[in-house]
Amino acid sequence: MTESPPMLRLEKVEVVYKKVITAIQGVSLDVQQGQIVVFLGTNGAGKTTTLRAISGFIGTDDAWVTEGRILFEGQDIANWPPQKVANRGIALVPEREKIFETLTVMDNLEASVGAGASRATRKRMIDTVFDHFPRLATAKTRLAGYLSGGERQMLAIGSALLCEPRLLLVDEMSMGLAPRLVEELLDHIVTLKKTLGLTILLVEQSAHLALGIADYGYVIENGRIVLDGTRERLGGHKDVQEFYLGQGGGDARKSYREVKQYRRSRRWYG
Amino acid sequence: MQVLANLVVLTAIYALISCGYVLIYRVSRVLNLAHGELMMLGAYLLFTLASLFKGGPELAFAGAVGLSLLVGFVLYVVLMRKMTGELVIAAVLVTIALGILLRGLMVLIWTARDLHPISVLGWKNPPVPLGGGTSISSVALATILVAVVLYLALMLFFRYTRWGLQMRAVGERPLLAAQRGIKLHAVYALAWALSTFSGGLAGMLLALDSGLGSTMVIVGLKAFPAALVGGLDSLLGAVVGSFIVAAAEILAIHFIDPLISDVVPFVVLIAMLLVRPWGLFGTKEEIERV
């Protein structure tokens, strides 16, 4: 751990849905400024809930952070509404429902620029997005609902950038995309980190590509964090190799759930 | 010819009212079943202001329009805001209760007798000859003009302004809109304000033309099939739906019996729901199944 206070710190965060269903419990993690942090876990492990807890719930989610703190730059933002979190400097690229399908590409971007920006400023900001993703510029007038999977992802990332975040949360970017496309998008993420000085928290199911660009990683299972470490440590860890990198040998990729006893060192607070 | 003129006037009235249903439904998927009462409230506000400002009818009219806008805003902030996150059906039930409450309050405040704001304002309503022995009243002509201007303004608003764009975004995906920093409650409040504004305007024009009484709620209710036939989330659909309902109603008055005129829009509504439940211009996926 570095000495400087982290940009984002989750302290024993618990999220409860519909007042009874506990989705995550005692989740603690740190994201240092300027890092790319990967958050690994299988379906239903609590990755998306964690990201959503950071970016804020709306009424229809019927979800609350019931315990713990979410500190962003020292301020507790737990249970803030999404629009407030977005204006505070955290933007989320959701896994599903990430673009407005009935709006054109241009309108998607326009709608995401923060209030109060002048016409010239808006144009400049949107042009910056087009510089990063030239394919969006050629599809400006198309309805976002007709975009391909890769273009959707680019539009979603581009829209999130227009909120001028300092911390970007990206949920399951690789979902349903060809591996080559995922690689291309991950390259973009690295570029964004370098050119804009962004800090990025990346959620992934498959560690293959994500670990390659990460500075640090966490593994979440059943709503609890069980493992964390640098890329080298995680990549070299036997369980990660077996369950998330598919290098278990023998049968096809196994799930941690099939293993009766955890061999790993459990690591959660509280 | 006179039939045609009446048809255009009735279409304009329904269109003015039904766009209020569409505005709220489009951004929040809530059917505001108190719209008829809110429209009537606008008309009563005009009557009261007209009695207060005897010297300035224009001022009274502008004040009533402004107040209508405010009514929607306040309603959202103090009542409907609490309903975000609840089931849509719960919000709809709240609007029904609100409508009944408003109706009771209006009878208490203004009594149930028929009022005529036009005479209080000191305005005249002479018939405007359209040639060929056809004529419509001046207020009816104004209603048509107001409807046209309002629809054009709303379409431009949705297409070219940031607030309009944000309303479209919120209407499609409220969560994503919030995650992009759009202030959900401000957008919803604006939708309610615009809805009561247009509804109040319709109520005032109607009251100027034919007086103000408890039957106005029925007119508001008849505009609901118009909005639904058009598809509930489409402004163009609301115009077309208004035309279809108005046409059916006028044909029924002429060829069957004037007594059934209040029933016809709902016959059209049922027919539409059986054939194409999402309406003519509505989005098919948007319908929530029973």
Side-chain angles (χ1 to χ4, degrees), chain B residues 112-146:
Chain B
R113 72 197 152 84
D114 281 358
L115 304 171
H116 294 277
I118 193 157
S119 53
V120 184
L121 283 166
W123 286 348
K124 297 276 176 290
N125 188 15
V128 180
L130 298 173
T134 315
S135 71
I136 57 173
S137 69
S138 313
V139 173
L141 183 64
T143 306
I144 297 170
L145 291 177
V146 167

Side-chain angles (χ1 to χ4, degrees), chain B residues 38-125:
Chain B
L38 288 166
M39 171 182 110
M40 198 155 92
L41 180 64
Y44 275 121
L45 286 174
L46 175 64
F47 178 82
T48 300
L49 286 186
S51 322
L52 287 177
F53 302 105
K54 279 271 162 46
E58 290 82 8
L59 188 71
F61 193 81
V65 171
L67 276 180
S68 293
L69 199 76
L70 196 66
V71 163
F73 181 79
V74 170
L75 259 185
Y76 178 77
V77 173
V78 303
L79 183 67
M80 298 313 290
R81 193 190 148 113
K82 308 267 187 304
M83 299 307 297
T84 48
E86 300 298 325
L87 292 172
V88 167
I89 183 76
V92 175
L93 290 175
V94 166
T95 67
I96 294 178
L98 172 71
I100 294 169
L101 188 76
L102 279 176
R103 221 179 300 172
L105 279 177
M106 285 188 286
V107 171
L108 278 181
I109 298 172
W110 288 285
T111 74
R113 72 197 152 84
D114 281 358
L115 304 171
H116 294 277
I118 193 157
S119 53
V120 184
L121 283 166
W123 286 348
K124 297 276 176 290
N125 188 15

Side-chain angles (χ1 to χ4, degrees), chain A:
Chain A
M1 290 277 163
T2 43
E3 288 113 44
S4 62
M7 179 180 226
L8 178 78
R9 163 168 277 176
L10 270 64
E11 280 178 3
K12 300 180 196 167
V13 171
E14 176 183 86
V15 171
V16 176
Y17 280 106
K18 300 182 199 297
K19 300 196 173 70
V20 286
I21 308 157
T22 308
I24 57 171
Q25 211 174 9
V27 167
S28 299
L29 60 85
D30 284 351
V31 178
Q32 299 292 340
Q33 167 122 33
Q35 281 195 337
I36 296 182
V37 174
V38 174
F39 200 42
L40 295 170
T42 50
N43 270 334
K47 308 182 301 288
T48 299
T49 302
T50 308
L51 280 202
R52 288 292 318 279
I54 302 168
S55 80
F57 298 111
I58 61 170
T60 39
D61 292 322
D62 203 359
W64 295 95
V65 176
T66 45
E67 257 177 61
R69 297 198 296 169
I70 300 176
L71 297 168
F72 179 62
E73 293 170 346
Q75 188 176 18
D76 190 358
I77 58 163
N79 292 321
W80 279 21
Q83 58 269 32
K84 205 170 156 192
V85 175
N87 292 328
R88 183 73 179 72
I90 303 178
L92 170 72
V93 181
E95 180 191 344
R96 295 186 211 95
E97 311 210 332
K98 60 184 103 187
I99 52 172
F100 300 108
E101 299 192 348
T102 58
L103 305 185
T104 62
V105 168
M106 197 62 184
D107 281 348
N108 261 278
L109 296 171
E110 283 273 0
S112 306
V113 183
S118 70
R119 189 178 288 268
T121 316
R122 292 208 303 270
K123 190 181 176 308
R124 187 178 47 73
M125 289 171 71
I126 291 173
D127 282 344
T128 320
V129 172
F130 288 153
D131 289 343
H132 279 291
F133 303 107
R135 258 159 83 185
L136 292 181
T138 56
K140 250 191 243 188
T141 54
R142 274 167 66 199
L143 275 185
Y146 295 122
L147 295 181
S148 71
E151 290 164 339
R152 277 163 187 257
Q153 196 58 264
M154 291 175 191
L155 180 57
I157 297 172
S159 311
L161 290 179
L162 291 171
C163 301
E164 300 191 285
R166 294 186 293 288
L167 173 64
L168 187 68
L169 313 171
V170 187
D171 195 1
E172 298 259 353
M173 195 175 63
S174 61
M175 194 55 106
L177 296 180
R180 246 194 67 213
L181 203 54
V182 176
E183 248 175 279
E184 193 188 315
L185 285 167
L186 286 171
D187 281 346
H188 274 298
I189 296 281
V190 176
T191 316
L192 290 175
K193 176 197 154 183
K194 282 183 188 147
T195 55
L196 302 174
L198 277 180
T199 307
I200 293 156
L201 178 57
L202 207 62
V203 157
E204 276 298 330
Q205 274 203 49
S206 94
H208 263 297
L209 298 163
L211 266 186
I213 63 163
D215 297 302
Y216 203 84
Y218 290 86
V219 178
I220 185 170
E221 287 171 5
N222 295 328
R224 289 161 184 269
I225 287 183
V226 292
L227 205 62
D228 74 312
T230 58
R231 163 182 26 175
E232 292 75 22
R233 174 162 185 254
L234 285 185
H237 198 282
K238 218 173 140 210
D239 287 353
V240 175
Q241 286 179 348
E242 188 168 345
F243 305 136
Y244 300 99
L245 292 170
Q247 298 165 347
D251 334 334
R253 197 165 137 201
K254 279 202 261 179
S255 159
Y256 72 91
R257 288 180 219 269
E258 291 159 19
V259 181
K260 281 191 183 137
Q261 286 206 316
Y262 289 146
R263 286 165 302 196
R264 73 207 63 188
S265 52
R266 291 198 182 198
R267 190 221 77 134
W268 65 74
Y269 307 88

Side-chain angles (χ1 to χ4, degrees), chain B residues 140-163:
Chain B
L141 183 64
T143 306
I144 297 170
L145 291 177
V146 167
V148 170
V149 170
L150 184 78
Y151 268 80
L152 284 179
L154 280 176
M155 282 171 182
L156 292 175
F157 170 76
F158 274 119
R159 183 164 283 270
Y160 294 109
T161 69
R162 278 188 67 69
W163 276 100

Side-chain angles (χ1 to χ4, degrees), chain B residues 201-286:
Chain B
L201 206 55
M204 289 173 216
L205 288 163
L206 217 56
L208 287 178
D209 207 19
S210 46
L212 175 53
S214 52
T215 50
M216 191 182 270
V217 172
I218 308 286
V219 185
L221 215 52
K222 285 198 299 190
F224 173 60
L228 209 132
V229 165
L232 268 179
D233 58 354
S234 154
L235 280 177
L236 180 66
V239 180
V240 177
S242 298
F243 176 78
I244 291 173
V245 169
E249 192 174 336
I250 284 187
L251 288 176
I253 291 172
H254 269 264
F255 294 107
I256 308 173
D257 190 327
L259 282 175
I260 68 161
S261 74
D262 284 352
V263 182
V264 173
F266 297 96
V267 176
V268 177
L269 173 69
I270 290 169
M272 193 66 196
L273 284 177
L274 288 176
V275 182
R276 211 180 140 90
W278 56 93
L280 288 174
F281 294 83
T283 326
K284 195 172 176 180
E285 302 90 309
E286 301 292 354

